[in-house]
Amino acid sequence: QVQLTESGGGLVRAGASLRLACAASGLTVNQNVMGWFRQFPGTDRELVAAITGSEGKVYYADFVEGRFTISRDNAENTVYLQMNGLKSEDTAVYYCATKYAGNPYYTKTYDHWGQGTQVTVSS
C-alpha cells in the first residue's frame, strides 16, 4: 500500500519560509521519482519541483526562481520542499506525488498522490 502524507503548510507573510514534508510509506523515496505540485482553484496541477530516484537529479519550475529546494531524507523516507522568499502568488494547495520512473514534468504519469497541504501567503 502506497501512502503519501504532506505536512508543513500554513499561513505566512510574504518573504517568510515554510518547509513542506512528504512522508512516504509503501515505497522507498530514493528508488522513485518524487514530485511537488501546486494547484490553484479551478486549474490543473503543475510541477513545482521533482527529484529522481537513482540519480537524485532535481528539477524546478521557472517560477521557483531559485527560492525553493527539494531534498530527501532516506533514513526518514521523507521528501522535503524548502520554500524561502514566499510570495502571495505561491498561495495554493501543494501535493506530493510519485512514480517509478520517467519524465518528471509529465503530471499525468504520476501514479500516487497525497491529499495536499494548503500554503497561504499574505502580501
Side-chain angles (χ1 to χ4, degrees), residues 11-91:
L11 172 62
V12 298
R13 297 275 190 175
S17 297
L18 284 172
R19 189 180 72 161
L20 307 184
C22 174
S25 62
L27 64 87
T28 302
V29 297
N30 66 356
Q31 295 179 359
N32 293 270
V33 179
M34 306 296 299
W36 283 101
F37 294 78
R38 71 179 186 183
Q39 186 173 32
F40 305 126
T43 70
D44 294 332
R45 297 176 188 181
E46 61 180 343
L47 182 75
V48 177
I51 183 167
T52 63
S54 60
E55 305 94 342
K57 187 174 181 180
V58 297
Y59 299 80
Y60 297 99
D62 288 342
F63 63 76
V64 167
E65 299 176 323
R67 299 175 297 133
F68 302 169
T69 302
I70 187 170
S71 63
R72 63 193 181 195
D73 185 326
N74 296 328
E76 297 293 331
N77 205 36
T78 298
V79 177
Y80 299 94
L81 184 68
Q82 178 67 44
M83 302 189 293
N84 300 323
L86 284 163
K87 306 175 181 180
S88 60
E89 304 97 292
D90 296 318
T91 296

Side-chain angles (χ1 to χ4, degrees), residues 98-122:
T98 187
K99 63 180 178 180
Y100 180 69
N103 192 319
Y105 291 102
Y106 293 164
T107 305
K108 294 182 178 179
T109 63
Y110 284 78
D111 300 308
H112 302 282
W113 296 80
Q115 294 301 304
T117 184
Q118 176 71 46
V119 171
T120 303
V121 184
S122 61

